[in-house]
Amino acid sequence: MCCKIWSMKKIISIIFALFLVLSAYAQSADIITDILESEEVTFGQISYLTAVQMKIVDDSASYEDAVVALYENGYIPIIEEFDAPVPAVDLAYLYSKLWNIKGGLLYRITKGAPRYAFRQFQADGIVSADMDPSAYVSGEKALSIYTACINKYSDFDMKNVSMEAE
C-alpha cells in the first residue's frame, strides 16, 4: 500500500511538473518529453529549462543556445557541452538561480556556489540527504526536483488549485 501511494505521488508530481512547465512557460511538449525520457538529463536540457524560465531565451531556442545564453549572462563560468550528463550538484546550482533562496551562511557568502546550493537543497528536503552530488540524474528525477523547488521556493500553492472539472 505504501509503495502504491509513493508511486502515485511520484506520478502526480511528474504530471504536475509537466503541466506547470508547459502552461507557465509555453515550452514545447517535445522538449519536456525528451527530458522526461532521458536516463541521464543533459546540461543542454537543464540549461534550456533554466534559460527559458529566466526569459533569457525563448521556447524555440536549442539546447546549445540555452547553454550559450547562460554563459553570456554570467550564470555559468564556461560553455559546457550541451549533450553532457549533468551531475546533481550542477543541477542544484542551475535550479537555485531560478528562485530567491535564503540559504545558510555559506550559501549566502559564496553567492550560491554549486556545492552549497546542493547542500541547501539537501537541508530543505529538495533532494535526499544521502544523494551523491556527483551522481547523474534521470530526466524524471530532474523534473521531480524542479517541482519540489517550485513547491518550496515559489509562491505557487498547490492547495489553491482546483482539480475538479468545470
Side-chain angles (χ1 to χ4, degrees):
M1 180 75 175
C2 177
C3 292
K4 287 182 181 181
I5 292 172
W6 187 82
S7 293
M8 187 59 117
K9 285 182 181 181
K10 188 174 181 181
I11 291 168
I12 289 172
S13 291
I14 291 169
I15 290 170
F16 173 70
L18 182 63
F19 169 76
L20 189 64
V21 171
L22 286 174
S23 64
Y25 305 104
Q27 294 173 355
S28 166
D30 292 337
I31 298 289
I32 300 303
T33 301
D34 185 39
I35 293 170
L36 195 56
E37 293 176 348
S38 298
E39 286 186 34
E40 292 179 341
V41 73
T42 67
F43 198 80
Q45 292 168 325
I46 297 306
S47 295
Y48 177 87
L49 283 176
T50 304
V52 169
Q53 183 170 336
M54 290 177 165
K55 296 181 172 55
I56 58 175
V57 298
D58 64 23
D59 61 352
S60 63
S62 70
Y63 293 152
E64 289 177 276
D65 294 339
V67 172
V68 170
L70 289 175
Y71 172 75
E72 289 175 348
N73 285 278
Y75 292 105
I76 56 175
I78 60 172
I79 296 180
E80 299 281 349
E81 293 293 323
F82 76 95
D83 57 351
V86 175
V89 67
D90 291 338
L91 177 94
Y93 173 72
L94 286 171
Y95 281 176
S96 73
K97 300 301 177 190
L98 298 175
W99 295 278
N100 182 22
I101 300 172
K102 303 284 187 255
L105 181 63
L106 290 173
Y107 178 82
R108 290 190 308 261
I109 288 172
T110 62
K111 296 182 173 94
R115 171 188 173 104
Y116 296 108
F118 183 79
R119 293 181 107 189
Q120 189 62 47
F121 276 26
Q122 286 179 316
D124 289 343
I126 302 297
V127 298
S128 66
D130 62 347
M131 184 177 207
D132 181 357
S134 64
Y136 295 123
V137 180
S138 71
E140 182 180 333
K141 183 69 175 171
L143 289 176
S144 178
I145 293 170
Y146 183 85
T147 302
C149 289
I150 290 169
N151 291 333
K152 179 74 176 177
Y153 304 124
S154 77
D155 58 358
F156 181 81
D157 187 3
M158 185 65 179
K159 294 178 210 155
N160 296 329
V161 176
S162 173
M163 298 302 249
E164 296 178 19
E166 294 182 21

